[in-house]
Amino acid sequence: MLRAAETAWKTDTGRQRRDNEDNAFARAPVFVVADGMGGAQAGEVASRIAVDTFEQALPDGGSAEDRLADRVREANRRIYERSRSEHERAGMGTTLTAAYVGETYVAIAHVGDSRAYRFRDGSLERLTQDHSLVEELVRQQKLTPEQAAEHPQRSIITRALGPEPEVEVDTWTYPARDGDILLLCSDGLTAMVSEERVGEILASSESLQQAAGELVDEANDAGGRDNITVVLFRLEDVGGNGDRDEPTMIGAAAVDAGAMPAPRAPQAPDDGSGTVALATRRKAIPARRIPPVTTPRERHMPRYAKALAALVAVVVVLFLVGGGGYLATRQLYFIGTNPQGIVTIYRGLPFDLPAGLRLYETYYVSGVPGSLVPSDRRASVFDDSLRSQSDATTLVMDLERGQLSR
Ligand code: CA
């Protein structure tokens, strides 16, 4: 029978944000990270509601996945209702990644772009899939992971708790064993620190508390662009066959109380089964993702599209170099999100050239998080299409007024 023998968590505002909208919960056998968003403290409220929902014991009956997902849906309802009753909290949301330690397994429930990892035998394995626009494009092989990491729309999430009355929750059950270390974290860690480096820190730390501190320090040293939250627990096999649903309350050592975060959106497992069993791997350090499920046909289209986009970029550059083009690009605008995930109008062309050269600049930063753009309008708003100044401005102003339902 497994228990969480050692627990540590830490949350930090980071170097560039004024507030910490992340929240966490660490009370064996349940562990949670939530990354809130919405501005004007709404994100902090959303992530706080999310983790507070786990103060109650999980409901009776059903699988651990079902019981966790039930609690996540309850959190969604509470946040949604609060946002409807308090005008200043309208549109708030949060990501949520929760883990439950069972007798021989760990169950995960997940919405958004926070993540769960398992560290075993020196190897870090990612257990969740981000519900983000760029990860969907990576799964469809329209972007490489390297392009996704620098993409101007990388902060857009496609699922969150709060914006809608119902939410789809991804769940998985992973076999677990003595010595496994589980990490739950907000994107403020993973956007700043490579998975390889996370694995090295976990391998070299003498305690989880030390590891939590080093992970946060590393994210801050890399710039600390966002709030950073990490929850760590180590599993130990204590033998026996006790009923794990009794309130064992082991290792509730909260290391560092702090702010709680807001939401982002998740995606269902591609195999549709809801359960993914990971093969054991003994290779050192490099992290592995759950392999994307992609049909051969999906592979071909994106490559073609990518080649075409590259060709267009080359033509555009030749045109610019040819003279007179620079002024022309000043008349072109497109819409994306800035590194903070806020809907932003950019002036220029949506291309990054080698050597970090950009063909666009920030023109206007709106008051709307990208995650709050209605899901049925995301594709048309963020399609990188070139717009006139008035077209782009009108569209973003409609968004700011909440009038983008047309
Ligand atoms: Ca975040």
Side-chain angles (χ1 to χ4, degrees):
M1 180 182 126
L2 294 168
R3 65 166 194 169
E6 183 185 1
T7 300
W9 70 277
K10 183 166 179 128
T11 185
D12 190 89
T13 304
R15 294 244 168 110
Q16 297 192 19
R17 300 286 181 90
R18 207 183 49 187
D19 302 309
N20 189 346
E21 298 188 312
D22 285 0
N23 268 293
F25 178 90
R27 188 187 302 159
V30 176
F31 301 86
V32 181
V33 162
D35 173 355
M37 50 202 146
Q41 277 87 55
E44 193 176 338
V45 171
S47 63
R48 168 63 67 184
I49 295 171
V51 298
D52 282 354
T53 308
F54 286 84
E55 290 284 349
Q56 290 175 353
L58 297 183
D60 291 332
S63 68
E65 286 181 42
D66 290 344
R67 297 162 68 212
L68 273 181
D70 190 84
R71 200 47 89 227
V72 176
R73 286 189 289 268
E74 171 64 21
N76 181 68
R77 272 191 293 278
R78 291 185 190 181
I79 297 163
Y80 177 73
E81 279 161 20
R82 179 84 172 264
S83 72
R84 303 253 301 170
S85 62
E86 293 179 27
H87 183 255
E88 66 273 25
R89 313 274 188 234
M92 68 178 172
T94 186
T95 71
L96 191 147
T97 301
Y100 171 87
V101 180
E103 284 189 37
T104 57
Y105 61 87
V106 172
I108 309 268
H110 168 73
V111 173
D113 71 349
S114 297
R115 291 179 181 176
Y117 289 92
R118 182 177 64 197
F119 185 70
R120 173 188 287 180
D121 295 337
S123 172
L124 187 73
E125 292 181 296
R126 194 165 134 196
L127 307 181
T128 50
Q129 293 180 335
D130 295 350
H131 299 136
S132 69
L133 190 63
V134 292
E135 181 138 323
E136 283 174 28
L137 293 173
V138 169
R139 274 199 288 275
Q140 295 166 19
Q141 303 199 353
K142 290 176 180 171
L143 285 180
T144 65
E146 294 71 32
Q147 288 171 325
E150 294 300 322
H151 198 278
Q153 293 160 354
R154 62 185 175 276
S155 300
I156 297 174
I157 61 173
T158 50
R159 235 190 277 175
L161 301 193
E164 311 277 345
E166 303 294 334
V167 67
E168 186 183 354
V169 184
D170 287 357
T171 60
W172 298 269
T173 297
Y174 292 94
R177 67 180 196 219
D178 188 83
D180 284 352
I181 294 172
L182 276 289
L183 163 67
L184 310 182
C185 60
S186 62
D187 69 331
L189 176 72
T190 49
M192 309 307 300
V193 183
S194 70
E195 292 178 337
E196 183 178 359
R197 186 67 193 127
V198 170
E200 286 171 0
I201 289 171
L202 292 177
S204 64
S205 297
E206 288 170 7
S207 70
L208 293 187
Q209 187 170 345
Q210 182 191 345
E214 286 186 13
L215 289 169
V216 168
D217 289 349
E218 190 97 356
N220 275 325
D221 290 347
R225 285 201 298 258
D226 199 356
N227 308 146
I228 308 142
T229 300
V230 298
V231 171
L232 288 162
F233 55 99
R234 183 173 53 79
L235 300 180
E236 181 180 87
D237 192 340
V238 293
N241 277 319
D243 181 358
R244 287 296 283 110
D245 290 340
E246 293 302 314
T248 357
M249 294 300 182
I250 297 154
V255 167
D256 201 356
M260 299 296 184
R264 303 233 172 149
Q267 271 191 340
D270 286 345
D271 65 358
S273 71
T275 303
V276 178
L278 285 184
T280 306
R281 273 166 48 108
R282 291 194 177 72
K283 259 180 87 180
I285 308 303
R288 133 181 148 162
R289 297 163 147 223
I290 296 161
V293 178
T294 314
T295 67
R297 201 171 143 178
E298 282 175 316
R299 284 202 174 107
H300 283 102
M301 282 305 290
R303 273 191 201 148
Y304 174 73
K306 221 163 86 180
L308 186 63
L311 184 64
V312 168
V314 169
V315 170
V316 164
V317 171
L318 290 176
F319 173 68
L320 293 177
V321 171
Y326 176 73
L327 270 181
T329 68
R330 304 281 298 174
Q331 314 301 320
L332 296 171
Y333 298 78
F334 66 98
I335 297 171
T337 58
N338 68 7
Q340 284 73 44
I342 306 301
V343 175
T344 299
I345 302 176
Y346 292 94
R347 174 159 53 197
L349 297 166
F351 296 115
D352 290 327
L353 298 179
L357 204 59
R358 284 185 171 166
L359 295 180
Y360 56 88
E361 64 186 6
T362 300
Y363 174 69
Y364 173 72
V365 180
S366 76
V368 183
S371 57
L372 298 183
V373 175
S375 49
D376 57 341
R377 295 301 307 273
R378 263 176 215 145
S380 61
V381 171
F382 298 122
D383 62 356
D384 280 353
S385 63
L386 299 175
R387 305 168 190 274
S388 68
Q389 181 188 15
S390 65
D391 182 34
T393 308
T394 303
L395 199 151
V396 169
M397 285 176 67
D398 283 351
L399 261 180
E400 290 183 315
R401 293 194 208 101
Q403 293 175 347
L404 196 70
S405 46
R406 290 173 294 131

